[in-house]
Structure formats: structure tokens, C-alpha cells
């Protein structure tokens, strides 16, 4: 088939490469010219995605995949269109539809009959039916279910492990007609392989939900659950600290019972998903109080732990504080919504001078992000561990002659390595 993938980011490009490797002719469309040129040169525009570079070389060399910046070059000829354009939130935490509206309008203006359109972007409930469908029909003068088919199928993967996750998790789809669902099922079965999952209770594969809205909510619910669970773990950790209780021991004990699955507490929640998708959920559920409280708890963790470090040092004024880690999770070079940016602002508000170290980022990259790279460990008065990179286990208090206190924001460091200073943890 002729497949057009809209958006060649950390989700869209792996999908494009995978579809092409299954024998389909794929055209990736992206508004970033550098991304287009990089893909056409068989160079992944980002690092860290397992297996991506090898497959990219193969499918570009065999002419199964090419990239372009122009919708009219591929959308009219496409049998299948897959949309992987991100939906973000604005400064007021409201959905910003600018990018996805632009992509949808371009599809509608170039759409041909008998095309299957699949949206994999996480969306607020009702967006596919009330926003995207009318745009497509009005611009194309075609009708869904008669002239083309529209299906929503949320991506459920993590960057760095996209190909593994595609095999592991069922592919959720929701559509408007049996014909559209049938075509979506056939397409995904042609490009995806599914691992055996006896734990699921039904065969791992393409799962049809009862409506588009059910499919939209499934992605929002699974991600929002994680945010609420983390917030609960953070609340437990804060309360445990008042009693001198080791929260890790408590959580391990709780989770030994099959009806408990408490997540780990942490200094921040980052990435494109967990800080954003609860806001998309709340955009259609003004009564979602528990979700809002969870967001507030998780958003407040950096400031709270900075204050704990300030209490340990007496004051942060004119203190030099090292933040360990910029990326939002270990081993992944991604700083979207990283708590480090919040920590830098909080420390500066206390009069401190914040520095940052991360083994995945160079000094030049740190400076480009507006952060001060740490060149001299001798001047550091305090440390905040933000990211649990394994490299940081090689550090110890003896490497920091002026160090007084360490705030371990992930309960990750070994206490035996920091015996000469005050070690704080969640």
C-alpha cells in the first residue's frame, strides 16, 4: 500500500520505518526541512531509539521510505494516512490544536476517495468526532464512511523502546463504521507483530473499542492513572518523612499484596505524556478534582524539595547547588517538561547559583538550554539528584570538598557513599 505518515518525530519516524520494513511504500511528511533532509540521507534526526538507525538505513536504501515537506506529494495517492503530530498545551494548560489543525486541513485539502485516515495523536475526548471529522469532510467535500474512513488509534509507546512496546501492547482502535474498523484492523495486522500475553485475558492484537470516544479516553485514562498514582506515592512520602519512615520499605511491603500497585515517589514528572495528558483529560472534565489535585502535588514537588535542602543548609543564598540530571527519565535524552528547569528557577529564587550535569548532554547543549554546566566540583555546597542515571552512582561525598547536604529526589543514591554529608531523601 501507499502510506503517508504525518509527523516524523519520535513516534512518527519509527512508525514510518516499521511500515516500510513490512513492504509498504511510505512517505513521511514533516514541516521541519532538516528532519526531511536527515531522513532522506538515512540519518535518524534524534538518538536513543533502539533499532531505528538500522531499519532506517534499510528502508531508505531500498526506496521503501522517503520524506517530504509537501502534503500534495503523497496524500492524494495514499491508501492509508497515519497522523502522529503532537498535541501540546498552552501556558494556561489548555489544548493547543494549532499543529494538528494545520495537518488536518492539509489532509482535507488533498484527500482522495477510499482513503483510511488513522490518528495516533493523544486527543481530548470528543476531538475526533467534533473537530477533526468536520474539518476533513468540509475541506475535501467527501463523506466519512462513504468516501473515506476515519479511525482513532492512540500510540501507547515510550521513546527509546517504541518497537518493543508496539509488540507488547494491544493496538486500540475506535471508528465510525464497521468498514473503517475492518480496514484499520487489516492495516495494523499487516504492519505489527504482537507478543504472546497470557496475562491479558484475550488475545494480544488489534482491539476494537465501542466508539471513537472510548479509544480517546483509554489513552487519557491509562496515562492519568500513572500521574495520580505518582502523586499518591509523593503524598505518602511527604507524610512518611514526618515520622522518619522509609517510604521505599513501605511501598515494597504494600506491593507484595496483589491488590496494591503503588508507584515510586519522585522529585518531578516529566516527558511529553504524563504532565500533558491529564490536562487534556481535564479539558473535558471540569469535575475531575482528584486529577487536578494530583497535578498540583506533582507540580509542587521541586519547590518542596528545594525548601528541604534550604532548611538543611540554613539558607540557599549565594550557595552553589548542583542538579544531577536534565533528562526526565534515565537513559533517555529528552528534557520535555523536565523538572530540572523548575529546580533552576526555584534555586535562583532562593538566591542560589544552580549548575547542571547530565552524562547525555554536552556543555554546549546545556548552555543552549539556558543552563550552567558544572565544571568544578570543588565549589558545590549542595546537590539535588533529579534523574536516576546509573552514572551518578559513581559519585560520592569525597569528590565534593565543600559539600554539606544532598537532596536525593529519586531515593536512588547509596547512603554509604554520602556519609560525610546530610543525605535527604523522599
Amino acid at each position: 500500500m501507499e502510506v503517508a505518515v504525518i509527523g516524523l518525530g519520535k513516534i512518527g519516524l519509527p512508525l514510518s520505518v516499521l511500515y516500510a520494513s513490512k513492504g509498504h511504500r511510505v512517505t513521511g511528511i514533516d514541516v521541519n526541512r532538516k528532519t526531511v533532509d536527515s531522513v532522506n540521507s538515512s540519518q535518524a534526526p534524534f538518538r536513543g531509539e533502539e533499532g531505528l538507525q538500522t531499519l532506517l538505513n534499510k528502508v531508505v536504501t531500498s526506496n521503501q521510505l522517503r520524506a517530504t515537506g509537501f502534503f500534495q506529494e503523497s496524500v492524494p495517492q495514499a491508501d492509508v494516512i497515519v497522523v502522529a503530530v503532537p498535541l501540546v498545551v498552552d501556558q494556561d494548560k489548555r489544548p493547543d490544536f494549532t499543529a494538528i489543525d494545520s495537518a488536518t486541513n492539509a489532509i482535507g485539502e488533498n484527500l482522495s476517495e477510499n482513503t483510511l485516515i488513522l490518528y495516533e495523536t493523544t486527543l481530548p475526548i470528543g476531538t475526533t468526532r467534533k473537530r477533526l471529522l468536520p474539518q476533513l469532510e468540509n475541506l475535501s467535500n467527501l463523506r466519512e464512511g462513504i468516501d473515506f474512513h476515519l479511525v482513532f488509534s492512540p500510540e501507547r509507546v515510550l521513546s527509546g523502546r517504541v518497537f518493543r512496546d508496539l509488540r507488547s501492547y494491544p493496538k486500540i482502535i475506535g471508528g465510525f463504521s464497521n468498514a473503517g474498523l475492518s480496514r484499520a484492523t487489516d492495516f495494523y495486522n499487516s504492519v505489527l507483530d504482537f507478543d504472546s500475553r497470557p496475562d491479558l485475558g484475550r488475545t494480544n492484537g488489534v482491539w476494537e473499542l465501542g466508539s471513537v470516544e472510548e479509544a480517546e479516553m483509554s489513552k487519557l485514562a491509562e496515562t492519568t492513572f500513572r500521574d495520580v498514582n505518582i502523586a499518591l506515592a509523593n503524598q505518602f512520602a511527604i507524610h512518611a518523612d514526618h515520622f522518619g519512615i522509609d517510604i521505599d520499605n513501605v511501598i515494597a511491603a504494600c506491593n507484595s499484596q496483589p491488590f496494591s500497585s503503588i508507584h515510586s515517589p519522585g522529585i518531578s514528572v516529566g516527558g511529553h505524556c504524563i504532565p500533558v495528558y491529564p490536562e487534556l483529560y481535564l479539558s473535558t472534565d471540569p469535575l475531575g478534582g482528584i486529577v487536578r489535585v494530583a497535578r498540583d502535588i506533582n507540580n509542587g514537588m521541586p519547590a518542596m524539595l528545594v525548601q528541604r535542602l534550604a532548611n538543611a543548609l540554613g539558607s540557599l543564598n549565594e550557595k552553589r547547588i548542583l542538579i544531577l540530571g536534565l533528562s526526565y527519565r534515565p537513559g533517555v535524552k529528552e528534557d520535555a517538561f523536565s523538572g530540572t528547569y523548575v529546580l533552576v528557577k526555584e534555586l535562583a529564587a532562593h538566591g542560589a547559583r544552580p549548575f547542571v550535569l547530565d552524562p547525555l548532554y554536552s556543555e554546549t547543549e546545556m548552555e543552549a538550554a539556558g543552563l550552567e554546566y558544572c565544571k568544578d566540583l570543588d565549589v558545590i555546597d549542595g546537590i539535588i539528584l533529579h534523574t536516576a542515571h546509573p552514572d551518578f552512582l559513581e559519585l560520592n561525598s569525597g569528590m565534593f570538598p565543600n559539600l554539606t547536604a544532598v537532596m536525593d529526589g529519586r531515593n536512588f543514591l547509596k547512603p554509604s557513599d554520602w556519609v560525610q554529608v546530610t543525605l535527604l531523601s523522599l
Side-chain angles (χ1 to χ4, degrees):
M1 289 183 283
E2 295 284 348
V3 181
V5 178
I6 316 301
L8 293 176
K10 293 193 174 182
I11 303 300
L13 182 56
L15 292 180
S16 301
V17 167
L18 180 62
Y19 302 160
S21 73
K22 293 294 186 176
H24 299 300
R25 294 177 299 277
V26 181
T27 302
I29 304 174
D30 200 282
V31 296
N32 188 318
R33 188 68 223 181
K34 290 184 178 179
T35 297
V36 170
D37 291 343
S38 179
V39 171
N40 286 331
S41 300
S42 300
Q43 294 298 319
F46 50 84
R47 297 180 180 179
E49 187 57 58
E50 181 182 359
L52 176 60
Q53 185 60 58
T54 300
L55 276 180
L56 180 62
N57 287 336
K58 178 181 177 181
V59 296
V60 172
T61 301
S62 63
N63 296 317
Q64 290 298 121
L65 171 66
R66 69 180 184 90
T68 180
F70 303 101
F71 283 73
Q72 61 268 31
E73 289 187 6
S74 60
V75 169
Q77 296 80 32
D79 300 300
V80 180
I81 300 170
V82 178
V83 183
V85 176
L87 176 63
V88 298
V89 292
D90 61 22
Q91 293 182 345
D92 297 320
K93 307 297 185 182
R94 294 175 302 191
D96 181 353
F97 291 100
T98 302
I100 200 156
D101 279 347
S102 177
T104 301
N105 291 340
I107 293 170
E109 292 167 353
N110 293 278
L111 188 62
S112 299
E113 292 187 22
N114 203 35
T115 304
L116 170 66
I117 306 173
L118 302 162
Y119 278 83
E120 297 218 357
T121 304
T122 303
L123 300 171
I125 300 170
T127 302
T128 308
R129 185 186 301 272
K130 296 178 181 179
R131 189 184 194 99
L132 305 180
L133 176 57
Q135 290 175 354
L136 291 168
E137 289 189 332
N138 293 337
L139 288 167
S140 67
N141 290 318
L142 301 175
R143 291 294 171 261
E144 199 284 329
I146 299 174
D147 304 309
F148 71 93
H149 297 287
L150 176 60
V151 170
F152 178 74
S153 180
E155 57 86 6
R156 310 178 70 198
V157 299
L158 287 175
S159 58
R161 45 179 285 177
V162 169
F163 299 119
R164 281 185 288 158
D165 288 347
L166 287 170
R167 294 192 305 269
S168 298
Y169 309 138
K171 194 70 178 98
I172 304 299
I173 61 173
F176 297 98
S177 68
N178 289 332
L181 290 170
S182 178
R183 282 195 59 183
T185 299
D186 290 344
F187 171 71
Y188 281 126
N189 279 330
S190 77
V191 294
L192 300 177
D193 299 306
F194 295 98
D195 294 337
S196 176
R197 289 282 306 277
D199 60 303
L200 292 178
R202 58 185 288 193
T203 302
N204 189 15
V206 182
W207 288 9
E208 296 182 10
L209 270 61
S211 67
V212 169
E213 288 77 15
E214 284 187 18
E216 289 170 333
M217 187 173 180
S218 70
K219 178 57 184 289
L220 296 175
E222 70 184 27
T223 311
T224 299
F225 165 79
R226 294 172 62 195
D227 193 47
V228 172
N229 195 316
I230 293 168
L232 182 62
N234 282 333
Q235 190 69 64
F236 287 157
I238 294 165
H239 192 55
D241 182 62
H242 293 308
F243 295 91
I245 293 172
D246 187 329
I247 191 61
D248 285 345
N249 285 340
V250 171
I251 292 175
C254 292
N255 290 351
S256 68
Q257 198 251 32
F259 302 105
S260 178
S261 182
I262 303 171
H263 289 7
S264 298
I267 193 168
S268 75
V269 177
H272 292 284
C273 300
I274 301 182
V276 176
Y277 297 161
E279 302 291 354
L280 300 184
Y281 172 85
L282 287 166
S283 71
T284 63
D285 184 6
L287 301 179
I290 190 171
V291 179
R292 172 51 59 205
V293 170
R295 278 280 75 224
D296 291 342
I297 290 173
N298 289 338
N299 283 336
M301 290 301 291
M304 181 181 298
L305 298 191
V306 165
Q307 185 58 56
R308 286 188 61 192
L309 182 64
N311 295 340
L313 291 173
S315 170
L316 289 176
N317 191 43
E318 297 186 354
K319 294 292 195 300
R320 296 169 184 258
I321 308 300
L322 174 61
I323 303 170
L324 296 176
L326 171 58
S327 58
Y328 79 90
R329 64 185 174 99
V332 175
K333 191 175 182 179
E334 176 59 72
D335 62 342
F337 293 94
S338 169
T340 292
Y341 292 111
V342 183
L343 289 170
V344 167
K345 290 181 180 179
E346 290 291 333
L347 290 168
H350 281 76
R353 183 177 175 184
F355 299 86
V356 184
L357 275 180
D358 190 306
L360 301 181
Y361 291 82
S362 67
E363 179 179 352
T364 301
E365 290 171 322
M366 287 282 190
E367 292 175 350
L371 306 172
E372 187 167 1
Y373 184 81
C374 181
K375 301 177 183 179
D376 186 3
L377 304 185
D378 292 351
V379 303
I380 298 302
D381 301 297
I383 291 176
I384 300 177
L385 181 123
H386 173 266
T387 313
H389 287 310
D391 304 59
F392 293 145
L393 292 176
E394 299 175 6
L395 302 177
N396 60 74
S397 55
M399 302 168 68
F400 301 87
N402 289 322
L403 187 65
T404 301
V406 176
M407 178 71 244
D408 183 356
R410 302 290 180 186
N411 292 353
F412 175 69
L413 300 174
K414 298 177 183 178
S416 59
D417 291 332
W418 304 92
V419 293
Q420 301 173 32
V421 299
T422 300
L423 178 61
L424 308 169
S425 60
L426 288 172

